[in-house]
């Protein structure tokens, strides 16, 4: 039952969420009228702007706070955020790109084996929680990393964490446990 | 002559011959007796027995030795409140016919919400005939959660329903979320959310549900004989052991096992009927059934009497 530490597992980052501030009040109505590719949600008070190049959706608030979702890497998130700030600048606002922070990273990983979920839950009691009636996956929380992993019986694992490094180390941490409860192919 | 012994911090009196012995109190006679030599040391102890004597053939429903309602000191904050009751005589009504002293003094406002919740819990439990011990456990859980105040924003009914679910689980007789939904006005989603929050708040965990927990209930609701129930339990357990149904909820597996067992016996049940009882969609039963069908001969118990042989089982 050796843990193969040199197995190359592909961790695919599917979503990176980041925030930044423009340090100036934004007139949402003006953005909605003059901007390209925008959706104005007047009832909530925000504007959605979708970019094509890095495929990004940004939620813009009138206070100047912007949330950027849909990027596939941290650098891409930064490019997209910068591009967005540039387009707001072109609309005439005195935009200053500050407080850029990656808030959430969502990644998917596939194990080459299937996993026995009840066995896994029993051996990882406080961290793992499994409610088959509510969700078919085991929810495993790693407190020090602030990462959450959803482990499915097919062997695919969804990880969410504060940055890409945390996500990678979360997968590394979970591998031995998951390996113990794997389903042997006869 | 019943005597109760009380571990007193020794009062002023001790037996002169045995100063170390703990005196036994006989409350009926009002004495304190030394157990070594039988000397009556203290006397005229105030009798704490009941003031009135009630006889077993006395059909009077009120017991004159009791005052007040049954206390719930463990749960409520201490029940010592006074209420002004409704007037009985003519003097309690003022000129217009309204009663004087109208409001019955609001009692224990701090636990009003809690008492309301207890009532709701009792109602819910009553609808599915849950025994008293589960209701008590639910009340205890609710009290703990309520005092912690970490789930304060959530609806009390939702927390009560989730507590009921947890209590059933902890007592070893889990009810499905759908069953709890049926007796509560809260949605399954909200109960599920509250359930996870409560486990986190109380820092407890619950055991995983197994297929066997629900067999007896579902089978008796469907009117299936004991043989079929045992067969279904066996099938479900085997299916989970052989891991033929990975990722399927135990309820769905149980429902499919019941379907297979009932179809093989004289008491056949349709997927729709089973789905209705178990709270599972009939397509779900179909899916799980398809997974266990290939290994059907291995899953049945050895001594099962087939009404319909294994190869004639319906294939969906």
């Amino acid at each position: 039952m050796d843990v193969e530490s040199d197995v190359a597992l592909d961790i695919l980052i599917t979503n990176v969420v980041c925030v930044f501030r423009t340090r100036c009040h934004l007139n949402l109505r003006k953005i909605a009228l003059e901007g390209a590719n925008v959706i104005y949600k007047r009832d909530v008070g925000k504007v959605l702007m979708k970019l094509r190049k890095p495929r990004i959706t940004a939620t813009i608030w009138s206070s100047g706070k912007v949330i950027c979702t849909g990027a596939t890497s941290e650098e891409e998130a930064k490019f997209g955020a910068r591009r967005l700030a540039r387009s707001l600048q072109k609309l005439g606002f005195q935009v200053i790109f500050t407080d850029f922070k990656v808030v959430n990273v969502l990644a998917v990983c596939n194990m080459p084996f299937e996993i026995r979920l009840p066995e896994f839950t029993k051996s990882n009691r406080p961290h793992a929680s499994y409610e088959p009636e509510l969700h078919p996956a085991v929810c495993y929380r790693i407190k020090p990393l602030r990462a959450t992993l959803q482990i499915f019986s097919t062997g695919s694992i969804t990880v969410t964490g504060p940055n890409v490094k945390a996500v990678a180390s979360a997968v590394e941490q979970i591998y031995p446990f998951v390996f113990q409860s794997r389903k042997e192919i006869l | 002559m019943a005597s109760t012994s009380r571990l007193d911090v020794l009062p002023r009196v001790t037996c002169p011959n045995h100063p170390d012995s703990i005196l036994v109190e006989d409350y009926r006679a009002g004495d304190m007796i030394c157990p070594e030599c039988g000397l009556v040391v203290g006397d005229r102890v105030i009798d704490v027995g009941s003031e009135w004597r009630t006889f077993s053939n006395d059909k009077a429903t009120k017991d004159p030795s009791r005052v007040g309602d049954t206390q719930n000191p463990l749960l409520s904050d201490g029940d010592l409140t006074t209420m002004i009751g409704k007037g009985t005589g003519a003097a309690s009504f003022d000129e217009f016919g309204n009663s004087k002293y109208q409001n019955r003094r609001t009692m224990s406002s701090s636990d009003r919400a809690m008492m309301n919740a207890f009532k709701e819990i009792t109602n819910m439990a009553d609808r599915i005939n849950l025994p008293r011990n589960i209701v008590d456990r639910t009340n205890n859980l609710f009290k703990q959660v309520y005092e912690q105040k970490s789930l304060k924003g959530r609806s009390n009914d939702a927390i009560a329903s989730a507590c009921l679910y947890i209590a059933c689980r902890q007592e070893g007789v889990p009810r499905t979320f759908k069953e709890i939904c049926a007796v509560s006005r809260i949605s399954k989603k909200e109960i599920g959310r509250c359930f996870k929050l409560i486990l986190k708040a109380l820092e407890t965990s619950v055991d995983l549900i197994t297929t066997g927990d629900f067999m007896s209930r579902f089978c008796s609701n469907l009117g299936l004989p004991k043989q079929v129930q045992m067969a279904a339990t066996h099938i479900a357990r085997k299916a989970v052991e052989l891991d033929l149904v990975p990722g399927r909820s135990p309820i769905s597996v149980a429902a499919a096992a019941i379907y297979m067992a009932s179809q093989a016996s004289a008491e056949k049940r349709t997927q729709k009927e089973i789905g209705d009882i178990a709270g599972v969609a009939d397509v779900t039963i179909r899916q799980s059934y398809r997974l266990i069908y290939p290994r059907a001969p291995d899953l049945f118990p050895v001594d099962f009497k087939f009404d319909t042989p294994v190869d004639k089982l319906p294939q969906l």
Side-chain angles (χ1 to χ4, degrees):
Chain A
M1 279 274 193
D2 291 70
V3 176
E4 297 160 29
S5 52
D6 52 352
V7 145
L9 277 172
D10 291 321
I11 306 176
L12 201 73
I13 302 177
T14 52
N15 194 14
V16 175
V17 178
C18 62
V19 295
F20 70 92
R21 287 170 61 189
T22 59
R23 284 283 193 171
C24 76
H25 184 270
L26 299 171
N27 187 350
L28 294 184
R29 206 162 160 268
K30 185 168 176 210
I31 300 175
L33 292 171
E34 295 172 22
N37 302 319
V38 285
I39 305 168
Y40 186 21
K41 290 204 178 217
R42 193 151 163 256
D43 40 326
V44 201
K46 58 188 182 191
V47 165
L48 297 176
M49 185 182 282
K50 298 198 191 198
L51 254 59
R52 279 210 190 111
K53 206 36 191 321
R55 205 163 261 283
I56 277 182
T57 306
T59 307
I60 307 165
W61 303 87
S62 59
S63 61
K65 292 220 175 99
V66 181
I67 304 179
C68 232
T69 62
T72 53
S73 76
E74 285 186 352
E75 300 95 54
E76 208 181 281
K78 192 139 194 198
F79 285 154
R82 277 221 130 93
R83 194 161 282 183
L84 198 67
R86 183 91 186 99
S87 71
L88 288 174
Q89 214 168 44
K90 283 198 187 144
L91 287 170
F93 299 104
Q94 297 296 328
V95 166
I96 308 171
F97 187 77
T98 45
D99 294 339
F100 174 81
K101 186 168 184 279
V102 165
V103 178
N104 192 20
V105 171
L106 183 80
V108 169
C109 182
N110 232 306
M111 296 287 153
F113 43 78
E114 289 185 17
I115 304 166
R116 289 186 203 275
L117 297 183
E119 198 184 304
F120 179 81
T121 342
K122 283 196 193 113
S123 48
N124 290 285
R125 250 317 161 70
H127 304 269
S129 93
Y130 180 38
E131 273 308 309
E133 285 185 83
L134 296 176
H135 192 54
V138 175
C139 179
Y140 190 100
R141 281 184 209 272
I142 302 178
K143 242 189 155 173
L145 291 171
R146 285 177 296 134
T148 307
L149 299 105
Q150 287 188 0
I151 302 152
F152 291 85
S153 61
T154 53
S156 87
I157 299 182
T158 306
V159 196
T160 69
N163 51 52
V164 178
K165 245 173 104 201
V167 161
S169 56
V171 175
E172 278 175 33
Q173 272 190 32
I174 199 84
Y175 188 81
F177 299 123
V178 164
F179 190 78
Q180 278 173 4
S181 316
R182 74 190 179 288
K183 196 161 138 178
E184 308 272 6
I185 310 166
L186 296 153
Chain B
M1 215 165 71
S3 21
T4 49
S5 64
R6 240 182 10 168
L7 275 168
D8 253 312
V9 174
L10 282 187
R12 310 100 208 166
V13 290
T14 52
C15 172
N17 303 324
H18 309 98
D20 294 326
S21 63
I22 299 170
L23 297 175
V24 164
E25 185 186 86
D26 175 12
Y27 67 90
R28 293 258 182 222
D31 298 334
M32 294 192 64
I33 307 171
C34 167
E36 312 275 324
C37 59
L39 182 70
V40 173
V41 182
D43 61 350
R44 281 190 272 275
V45 171
I46 297 187
D47 180 17
V48 297
S50 63
E51 192 172 322
W52 304 95
R53 296 191 295 172
T54 48
F55 299 101
S56 56
N57 56 357
D58 196 353
K59 290 291 194 268
T61 47
K62 37 182 193 132
D63 182 4
S65 62
R66 290 193 171 278
V67 179
D69 203 7
T70 45
Q71 260 192 328
N72 221 344
L74 305 154
L75 302 181
S76 301
D77 239 351
D79 248 355
L80 306 170
T81 53
T82 304
M83 293 196 296
I84 299 174
K86 278 192 291 214
T88 43
S92 66
F93 291 94
D94 64 9
E95 355 185 277
F96 298 107
N98 304 322
S99 51
K100 291 183 194 172
Y101 304 117
Q102 274 154 329
N103 64 337
R104 315 182 59 168
R105 212 92 233 102
T106 48
M107 53 128 119
S108 62
S109 52
S110 60
D111 326 288
R112 162 140 305 176
M114 210 154 78
M115 295 195 69
N116 232 332
F118 291 161
K119 199 169 77 163
E120 194 57 43
I121 289 170
T122 315
N123 281 338
M124 286 197 294
D126 218 27
R127 286 182 202 133
I128 38 177
N129 301 320
L130 289 173
R132 190 71 218 170
N133 61 338
I134 291 185
V135 178
D136 288 338
R137 198 181 266 267
T138 311
N139 286 344
N140 272 317
L141 285 169
F142 187 88
K143 178 176 186 186
Q144 285 177 35
V145 168
Y146 193 73
E147 287 184 338
Q148 248 209 21
K149 294 189 193 297
S150 47
L151 277 87
K152 200 161 179 208
R154 301 271 169 188
S155 150
N156 268 338
D157 284 342
I159 301 181
S161 309
C163 284
L164 189 64
Y165 179 81
I166 296 175
C168 293
R169 258 295 187 118
Q170 287 181 337
E171 289 282 328
V173 283
R175 298 289 187 274
T176 64
F177 274 111
K178 290 192 178 166
E179 287 176 319
I180 304 286
C181 263
V183 298
S184 165
R185 63 178 182 86
I186 312 288
S187 68
K188 178 172 178 252
K189 204 176 187 186
E190 187 59 30
I191 301 181
R193 270 197 216 126
C194 287
F195 165 73
K196 284 190 209 151
L197 287 171
I198 293 176
L199 286 186
K200 200 165 171 203
L202 300 180
E203 290 183 5
T204 38
S205 67
V206 286
D207 288 328
L208 288 176
I209 52 176
T210 57
T211 50
D213 298 330
F214 306 97
M215 279 303 174
S216 72
R217 213 167 341 121
F218 291 166
C219 290
S220 24
N221 283 344
L222 289 163
L224 294 170
K226 190 88 178 42
Q227 274 293 83
V228 179
Q229 179 185 320
M230 280 166 51
T233 314
H234 189 268
I235 293 173
R237 200 186 65 230
K238 258 291 164 57
V240 172
E241 273 175 28
L242 298 171
D243 209 5
L244 303 170
V245 283
R248 297 273 160 195
S249 164
I251 319 288
S252 322
V253 177
I258 294 177
Y259 179 68
M260 184 180 266
S262 73
Q263 289 292 325
S265 74
E267 300 270 333
K268 294 185 178 19
R269 297 282 179 271
T270 62
Q271 288 183 342
K272 207 167 300 225
E273 288 176 345
I274 301 177
D276 215 18
I277 297 283
V280 181
D282 61 333
V283 280
T284 312
I285 303 182
R286 210 171 298 159
Q287 294 282 12
S288 301
Y289 182 75
R290 279 198 197 117
L291 290 171
I292 59 175
Y293 181 73
R295 301 286 295 269
D298 307 324
L299 300 174
F300 275 99
V302 187
D303 52 351
F304 184 69
K305 290 205 178 50
F306 286 91
D307 190 79
T308 313
V310 195
D311 40 351
K312 295 268 185 5
L313 279 175
Q315 193 177 28
L316 298 129

